[in-house]
Amino acid sequence: MQQLTANDLKVRGIAAIESVLAEQTEAAISVRGKERFVVMDMAHYHYLRECELEAALMQSKADLAAGRVVQETAHDHMARLDALLSDNAGH
């Protein structure tokens, strides 16, 4: 990943980001020699979010298949959470 410095941004502004993103999908921004931020275009951001959501869906499906779920009413759920909180408060 190509790196931009805070000074690059100060001097060249958005043009510095655009020039890097014309050649790659993301760029790191360093501040005082340390990478602090990542910039990317919105299409790449949306792609990454979609991948993240797909991974979460796959994990949920795996949890269902393995029986790592609890089916209960909202009332029962709240009662279970209250009991967990009470148990943790006593420790």
Side-chain angles (χ1 to χ4, degrees), residues 2-14:
Q2 189 169 339
Q3 197 174 68
L4 290 168
T5 65
N7 193 54
D8 291 334
L9 293 176
K10 191 183 297 183
V11 173
R12 297 183 49 221
I14 197 74

Side-chain angles (χ1 to χ4, degrees), residues 10-26:
K10 191 183 297 183
V11 173
R12 297 183 49 221
I14 197 74
I17 295 172
E18 288 174 333
S19 67
V20 172
L21 294 183
E23 299 175 18
Q24 56 191 42
T25 57
E26 48 193 52

Side-chain angles (χ1 to χ4, degrees), residues 33-46:
K34 291 187 178 185
E35 289 184 343
R36 296 278 314 272
F37 307 100
V38 174
V39 292
M40 63 190 74
D41 67 25
M42 286 304 293
H44 187 61
Y45 172 77
H46 288 299

Side-chain angles (χ1 to χ4, degrees), residues 9 12 14 16-17 23 25 33 38 48 52 59 61 71 77 81-82 85 89 91:
L9 293 176
R12 297 183 49 221
I14 197 74
I17 295 172
E23 299 175 18
T25 57
V38 174
L48 292 177
E52 187 178 51
Q59 181 63 51
K61 287 180 178 181
Q71 291 185 346
H77 180 69
L81 292 178
D82 286 340
L85 287 172
H91 286 78

